[in-house]
Amino acid sequence: MSNEIEETMKRIQSHKGVVGTIVVNSEGIPIKSTLDNTTTVQYSGLISSLADKARSVVRDLDPSNDLTFLRIRSKKHEIMVAPDKEFILIVIQNPTE
Amino acid sequence: MFSVKMKPAMSDRKAELERKKAKLQALREEKDRRKREKEMKDVEEAANRVESGSDKRDLDEMLRSLGVAPVPDVLSSLSTVNSLTPDQSINYTPDTSLQPNSLHNNVAQVKKKQPVLTVVPVQTTNIQPQEVVVYTRQTQTTASGHERDGIFGSSILSKCYMEDWWRPRKDEYNLNPGLEWEDEFTVLTYDDPQGEDEESSLPHLGGFGSKLPPGILPHGLPQVKEVQPAVTAVEQEQAKQEVKEVRELSEEEKQMIILSEDFQRFVDRAGRVMERALGETVDIYADYSGLGGDEGLDEKSHQRISFNRWFYDERWSKNRCVTSLDWSLQYPELLLSSYNNNDESPNDPDGVALIWNTKYKKTTPEYVFHCQSPVMNAKFARFHPNLVLGGTYSGQIVLWDNRVQKRTPIQRTPLSASAHTHPVYCMHVVGTQNAHNLISISTDGRLCSWSLEMLSQPQETMELQRSQSRSVAVTCLDFPHSDVNNFVVGSEEGAAFSACRHGAKVGVTDTYDGHQGPITGISVNAVQGGIDFSHMFLTSSIDWTIKLWSLKDTKPIYTFEDNGDYVLDVAWSPTHPALFAAVDGGGRLDLWNLNQDTEVPAAGLTVDGNPALNRVSWTPSGLHVTVGDNTGKIWVYDVAENFAHPRHDEWNKFLYTTQELRSNQVDEELEKLNLGISNTPLTSMSSISSSPLR
């Protein structure tokens, strides 16, 4: 079964413009990553806290609501965050021009 | 030898005496000093101290001047006295002359006194050198994403650190993982940011030196100093232990987590969403003011069929022939395609079914299913949005469920004589939400009706036989819209049959002979609204022709002979009563509009690369047509709306067309008869050359 995970991760990683893919657990500890350790740790810490904050914003505005996707567009990259109850999938992509 | 002269000699002598005494004294002092220095080391550990009056007071004053509490740090009697005198002799030179007296006195006193040993409590102090400047105002700044959040090991590389080297920093490099309070900070003077290597910063108990980042010189210069509120060593240790433990756990359990069910489900779901998001590369910053606005290309309105996209998966659909296409009722954007086996990779599963999503630009399938036998036909279970049915070459019917993580079927029909033993090319789900069945027909003519809840045994079976025990080798099947009983099948012998499942005459009702080769595709007109044309059906065959039939006539109404290759499939448009699509083995896709022209297709194109096109299917909206070829690629074409969309009079026009076609047919046959028989006159409705020969 793990090869399906590998397949999915590989597919995402090989998508056009994708710089890196990280899977983080709810505590902010990276589980799987295609980037080097330092960057991974950096991203996981920052992004998971941001995702938590975003989720709390959504829920505070409407308690029956929940965060489903988070997209951060910057000048250089786009960071796409797919949060879940226990894990977070982070993908960094260069926007195609 | 003194030269004696009374008056000057006296003063000289006195001076000389004094000088000599001073010299002696100096010598004695030096000797004593050396002795003292030796004894000083021993005396520092001594417990007994003897206070000596004024000398001690002076010492206390000295010590007080340094800011240290007066301590009865008195050396042993002799060495104390010795030490005092050199110090005081250094500092208070005018008293030197007095010293010998007091010294002698003291010594004499001490020597007289018996040493009385008493236990005296001792306090020791270490006088540390002047410490580094501490700017306490920095502690007022707020922490920024610190250890508090439980994110251990986050290191922030900031080269701008050097600019404010004098500022005491929060523990950015996590050099001191034991710091529990946000106010805590370590003061560094050199910033060699090698401290981010968290794994090496193991907790050290005591000894601040281990926490020094490299580059800090421990001598003289300002040193690292921790400003901590009362944190005991034990707590520190625990905190450090915790940090260490969490990280170790994650490394050890990563593999466990990866193999866990939750994780797989998460990756499956999140991966799917992510792929869709990745596919949508819409540039939201498009600026039309500067650009020329290149929207003018691709005027699709005048082009009746235009290429939209293709669906192809390197892994799963390569080198496999597309055997069927189906659309989901509940999610009209989902396309199901089934594939034959891949000759070039015998280790891959033989049968593959993929679900594609036409709504997103994602180029990979939504779901991948496979099984051990080539899938000849796949259908969405119409009333169960999660179930996919496949009919295989082995005769088994397999059921996949997209709710489970498995890609293999969750249910299979038995391979027994009660079910099918021949390839199942045709399947159809008929009925309503509450009462529906799966109808499957194999190439030995056996028809089985199944309930989706129980695939272990067919509910009923039937043999389709034409004229007394000659089985029909069924290759294709179609039901008129919302009809559960009557259906039409095409066979390998080139004949089409209509049959019914229940009723008075179960089995084959009519035979429609006409084709000279096996029938590859059959389609019943399914357009709703207007006049009902569900008695009209089309068949395509290996004999290069397409024939239009009516259920009421055993002879074809019309034959379309425009193709130059095997016609492999035909499909009516779901919205336009007179429009249908046909594909052939030469890569040609044709759209026929019978209201416009019956001789030639109204629109057509050849697919890139000329693959043999095996299947054609319309989207439920009637605006797109999809073709599957024998290399595993599915091509999606847009049909121009004015072409695909029927006008109000299309139904009437088609009625007229069919009547015309029929009459032409009759004419032709009559002509044939006339020529053939040449004596029996028959009145025809609109015969042109009939001679009223009665």
Side-chain angles (χ1 to χ4, degrees):
Chain A
M1 277 304 197
S2 70
N3 58 343
E4 284 180 23
I5 298 175
E6 291 295 334
E7 255 187 66
T8 312
M9 297 281 288
K10 224 181 297 174
R11 265 206 320 266
I12 296 177
Q13 178 60 31
S14 56
H15 204 280
K16 192 161 129 192
V18 170
V19 173
T21 314
I22 307 171
V23 179
V24 183
N25 79 347
S26 51
E27 293 164 26
I29 301 171
I31 297 190
K32 240 182 160 347
S33 169
T34 60
L35 299 167
D36 58 281
N37 194 36
T38 346
T39 326
T40 299
V41 164
Q42 215 178 336
Y43 268 101
S44 21
L46 296 167
I47 298 287
S48 55
S49 53
L50 180 64
D52 282 344
K53 185 67 177 174
R55 179 184 265 128
S56 67
V57 166
V58 170
R59 288 189 80 94
D60 282 349
L61 290 171
D62 177 7
S64 62
N65 205 351
D66 195 12
L67 179 71
T68 53
F69 201 82
L70 183 62
R71 234 173 162 165
I72 304 160
R73 197 83 183 253
S74 72
K75 274 194 242 172
K76 297 188 189 164
H77 312 292
E78 177 159 15
I79 306 172
M80 286 176 275
V81 182
D84 194 66
K85 272 201 304 287
E86 294 168 24
F87 302 99
I88 303 178
L89 173 65
I90 304 168
V91 174
I92 303 119
Q93 188 192 27
N94 273 322
T96 51
E97 298 299 335
Chain B
M1 305 267 186
F2 303 103
S3 59
V4 181
K5 276 186 185 175
M6 280 313 284
K7 283 176 194 173
M10 285 299 285
S11 56
D12 281 345
R13 237 178 258 160
K14 269 191 184 171
E16 278 190 68
L17 266 170
E18 280 189 29
R19 245 181 280 128
K20 278 179 187 165
K21 270 190 182 173
K23 266 190 210 163
L24 271 170
Q25 185 55 37
L27 282 169
R28 203 180 293 137
E29 279 170 25
E30 273 204 55
K31 203 173 78 179
D32 287 337
R33 198 188 299 133
R34 280 194 199 105
K35 222 202 265 176
R36 176 188 62 86
E37 274 173 29
K38 232 194 266 176
E39 285 176 4
M40 267 282 268
K41 293 173 194 170
D42 305 328
V43 161
E44 274 179 8
E45 294 158 328
N48 285 335
R49 301 279 179 258
V50 176
E51 288 199 16
S52 51
S54 59
D55 301 332
K56 182 64 183 87
R57 248 179 274 124
D58 286 331
L59 176 62
D60 282 342
E61 274 175 29
M62 261 176 54
L63 289 174
R64 220 176 275 118
S65 73
L66 286 175
V68 182
V71 169
D73 187 1
V74 182
L75 307 168
S76 68
S77 48
L78 270 170
S79 40
T80 310
V81 170
N82 288 340
S83 65
L84 279 175
T85 38
D87 282 353
Q88 288 180 347
S89 65
I90 293 167
N91 292 331
Y92 304 98
T93 35
D95 290 337
T96 314
S97 55
L98 296 172
Q99 285 307 307
N101 297 328
S102 59
L103 168 66
H104 288 305
N105 286 336
N106 283 343
V107 171
Q109 280 169 17
V110 167
K111 276 184 180 167
K112 280 180 196 165
K113 260 204 296 190
Q114 289 297 312
V116 177
L117 298 174
T118 53
V119 177
V120 175
V122 174
Q123 292 172 14
T124 57
T125 41
N126 282 328
I127 303 167
Q128 289 180 343
Q130 280 284 345
E131 282 311 314
V132 75
V133 183
V134 170
Y135 292 86
T136 52
R137 56 177 171 274
Q138 288 305 315
T139 58
Q140 306 304 321
T141 57
T142 52
S144 56
H146 221 246
E147 285 97 58
R148 310 248 109 231
D149 298 344
I151 299 163
F152 298 101
S154 63
S155 69
I156 302 160
L157 296 169
S158 55
K159 285 298 171 191
C160 63
Y161 179 95
M162 255 317 255
E163 299 163 22
D164 295 328
W165 61 269
W166 49 269
R167 235 187 263 279
R169 293 278 156 170
K170 298 287 161 46
D171 190 14
E172 289 175 340
Y173 303 111
N174 197 27
L175 297 168
N176 292 314
L179 298 183
E180 278 196 275
W181 307 95
E182 290 173 350
D183 296 352
E184 294 176 17
F185 51 85
T186 55
V187 183
L188 304 170
T189 54
Y190 301 90
D191 70 324
D192 254 316
Q194 293 167 18
E196 67 261 19
D197 193 10
E198 295 87 21
E199 275 81 63
S200 67
S201 71
L202 297 172
H204 289 287
L205 298 174
F208 295 150
S210 58
K211 293 198 188 110
L212 293 179
I216 295 279
L217 307 170
H219 64 266
L221 297 169
Q223 290 175 7
V224 175
K225 182 180 104 163
E226 283 181 293
V227 178
Q228 300 179 27
V231 174
T232 63
V234 178
E235 284 175 33
Q236 268 187 1
E237 190 186 340
Q238 276 177 357
K240 289 168 206 163
Q241 281 287 329
E242 271 177 40
V243 172
K244 203 170 75 159
E245 271 182 50
V246 169
R247 255 185 252 126
E248 276 187 21
L249 268 176
S250 74
E251 286 190 31
E252 284 173 346
E253 287 206 338
K254 265 181 204 176
Q255 201 52 34
M256 287 283 292
I257 294 172
I258 288 173
L259 290 174
S260 76
E261 176 94 18
D262 278 341
F263 187 78
Q264 285 165 19
R265 225 179 299 131
F266 160 74
V267 171
D268 185 59
R269 247 199 338 261
R272 199 191 306 282
V273 170
M274 190 58 75
E275 281 191 82
R276 287 189 199 149
L278 283 170
E280 306 294 321
T281 51
V282 179
D283 182 19
I284 58 178
Y285 288 102
D287 180 17
Y288 294 108
S289 56
L291 302 171
D294 50 345
E295 297 295 319
L297 52 85
D298 277 356
E299 271 287 337
K300 290 186 187 143
S301 54
H302 66 255
Q303 217 185 18
R304 283 172 171 172
I305 323 178
S306 53
F307 175 67
N308 185 328
R309 64 181 295 184
W310 44 258
F311 286 117
Y312 180 69
D313 187 67
E314 272 293 325
R315 169 88 176 82
W316 290 107
S317 62
K318 194 170 180 186
N319 281 325
R320 296 173 187 262
C321 183
V322 177
T323 51
S324 82
L325 299 165
D326 190 35
W327 295 89
S328 166
L329 208 62
Q330 290 88 358
Y331 304 108
E333 67 267 16
L334 291 184
L335 167 68
L336 168 69
S337 57
S338 63
Y339 298 85
N340 210 342
N341 60 331
N342 188 342
D343 289 326
E344 289 185 14
S345 53
N347 295 323
D348 274 349
D350 277 346
V352 168
L354 304 175
I355 296 187
W356 300 92
N357 195 327
T358 55
K359 199 155 70 160
Y360 302 107
K361 298 201 184 73
K362 195 169 100 142
T363 56
T364 48
E366 284 282 328
Y367 293 98
V368 177
F369 300 119
H370 51 74
C371 69
Q372 285 313 107
S373 174
V375 182
M376 309 317 297
N377 196 304
K379 286 265 186 305
F380 277 104
R382 264 169 67 199
F383 306 103
H384 294 275
N386 298 305
L387 301 181
V388 173
L389 295 155
T392 66
Y393 197 77
S394 62
Q396 259 188 342
I397 297 171
V398 292
L399 179 72
W400 290 284
D401 191 331
N402 72 350
R403 290 169 293 197
V404 265
Q405 294 299 101
K406 285 176 65 173
R407 287 180 169 182
T408 48
I410 59 165
Q411 267 196 69
R412 272 175 253 253
T413 61
L415 267 176
S416 70
S418 61
H420 294 289
T421 49
H422 277 66
V424 175
Y425 273 83
C426 323
M427 282 197 318
H428 207 93
V429 179
V430 294
T432 57
Q433 171 77 43
N434 297 321
H436 54 270
N437 286 317
L438 168 68
I439 309 292
S440 63
I441 311 181
S442 55
T443 51
D444 60 353
R446 174 176 281 227
L447 183 150
C448 291
S449 164
W450 308 82
S451 157
L452 286 177
E453 281 87 41
M454 193 177 80
L455 284 178
S456 56
Q457 202 187 324
Q459 278 190 340
E460 57 171 5
T461 62
M462 198 168 77
E463 301 289 335
L464 289 171
Q465 291 166 345
R466 63 181 299 184
S467 61
Q468 261 56 35
S469 77
R470 255 179 69 191
S471 290
V472 174
V474 173
T475 55
C476 45
L477 158 75
D478 203 7
F479 275 79
H481 191 90
S482 69
D483 191 335
V484 301
N485 205 8
N486 304 297
F487 55 92
V488 286
V489 291
S491 72
E492 280 176 8
E493 297 123 13
F497 301 92
S498 71
C500 69
R501 286 171 57 215
H502 307 289
K505 194 181 166 211
V506 176
V508 173
T509 11
D510 281 316
T511 310
Y512 303 91
D513 260 320
H515 278 293
Q516 285 149 342
I519 293 179
T520 53
I522 195 165
S523 176
V524 178
N525 197 319
V527 175
Q528 299 305 105
I531 308 167
D532 179 36
F533 288 109
S534 56
H535 57 96
M536 314 279 289
F537 66 94
L538 288 162
T539 53
S540 63
S541 161
I542 302 278
D543 65 357
W544 298 13
T545 64
I546 304 166
K547 288 192 194 283
L548 172 67
W549 310 77
S550 165
L551 282 173
K552 305 164 194 164
D553 276 335
T554 54
K555 293 274 171 236
I557 298 174
Y558 192 70
T559 306
F560 302 92
E561 285 163 347
D562 186 64
N563 290 85
D565 205 329
Y566 303 158
V567 186
L568 293 171
D569 202 7
V570 67
W572 283 108
S573 160
T575 50
H576 196 301
L579 185 62
F580 68 90
V583 286
D584 71 1
R588 232 189 123 62
L589 162 69
D590 292 318
L591 291 183
W592 297 76
N593 187 333
L594 295 176
N595 286 347
Q596 287 178 10
D597 197 339
T598 56
E599 298 285 322
V600 284
L605 55 82
T606 310
V607 170
D608 284 342
N610 292 45
L613 302 172
N614 203 30
R615 279 277 170 243
V616 69
S617 165
W618 290 82
T619 55
S621 62
L623 292 172
H624 306 273
V625 63
T626 57
V627 288
D629 68 8
N630 66 340
T631 60
K633 230 177 194 176
I634 300 172
W635 307 79
V636 181
Y637 290 91
D638 293 332
V639 183
E641 215 178 304
N642 56 359
F643 184 60
H645 211 75
R647 293 190 296 271
H648 299 289
D649 57 345
E650 296 287 353
W651 280 262
N652 290 327
K653 264 181 101 176
F654 189 52
L655 194 62
Y656 182 66
T657 312
T658 50
Q659 277 174 354
E660 227 185 270
L661 288 171
R662 225 180 278 221
S663 57
N664 285 343
Q665 195 75 3
V666 175
D667 273 351
E668 279 179 34
E669 290 187 13
L670 282 173
E671 278 187 41
K672 275 190 217 152
L673 277 171
N674 281 339
L675 289 167
I677 299 171
S678 79
N679 52 350
T680 320
L682 287 166
T683 53
S684 61
M685 279 187 278
S686 54
S687 67
I688 301 168
S689 60
S690 67
S691 50
L693 196 69
R694 299 238 175 222

